Amino acid sequence: GAGYGVFSPDDLYVAWIEASGSHMAQVPDYQSRLRIGSTSGGIVYDQTDTSIASALGIGSIPFMKPVGWLDTQTLLVEINVDDYVSSALITINIATGAVNKIITGSFVTFAYP
């Protein structure tokens, strides 16, 4: 399945999650991937939960979802860490591919002046 789509402020990109498997299976086999596509066609970023966890230096990401864009190149993603022990917000820069943790906690909402 796929979901949690969010469009960039300039409407040039859309980010979403694709997932398969189940957390509830006798042998859990859930896997997800974060994709960012150009609205004019084509994928510009495609990484699995495992590769994002590796880039962050953490054990695993049992759940992640894009929650919005900080600017036209920087996607904000909420992740659960190591079997749902904690949550964090990370950024992904689509120009460089850089993945960075910015804060421990959960996303609530954006506030605009």
Side-chain angles (χ1 to χ4, degrees):
Y4 300 108
V6 292
F7 286 87
S8 64
D10 57 7
D11 291 326
L12 294 179
Y13 302 104
V14 61
W16 69 93
I17 294 296
E18 293 181 10
S20 63
S22 172
H23 289 290
M24 308 279 279
Q26 189 170 9
V27 177
D29 60 352
Y30 179 84
Q31 295 181 354
S32 63
R33 66 186 320 113
L34 175 66
R35 289 194 169 160
I36 302 172
S38 167
T39 54
S40 62
I43 302 294
V44 297
Y45 185 88
D46 181 8
Q47 292 294 323
T48 65
D49 52 6
T50 304
S51 62
I52 293 172
S54 179
L56 292 168
I58 59 177
S60 66
I61 298 175
F63 181 75
M64 63 180 171
K65 69 178 179 179
V67 293
W69 293 80
L70 300 180
D71 56 40
T72 59
Q73 299 291 307
T74 310
L75 178 67
L76 184 65
V77 180
E78 181 178 346
I79 63 171
N80 291 110
V81 181
D82 295 326
D83 205 21
Y84 295 95
V85 172
S86 65
S87 296
L89 295 174
I90 66 169
T91 58
I92 297 176
N93 183 302
I94 62 170
T96 65
V99 178
N100 294 297
K101 178 181 173 184
I102 58 170
I103 193 167
T104 300
S106 298
F107 179 76
V108 176
T109 191
F110 286 111
Y112 298 96

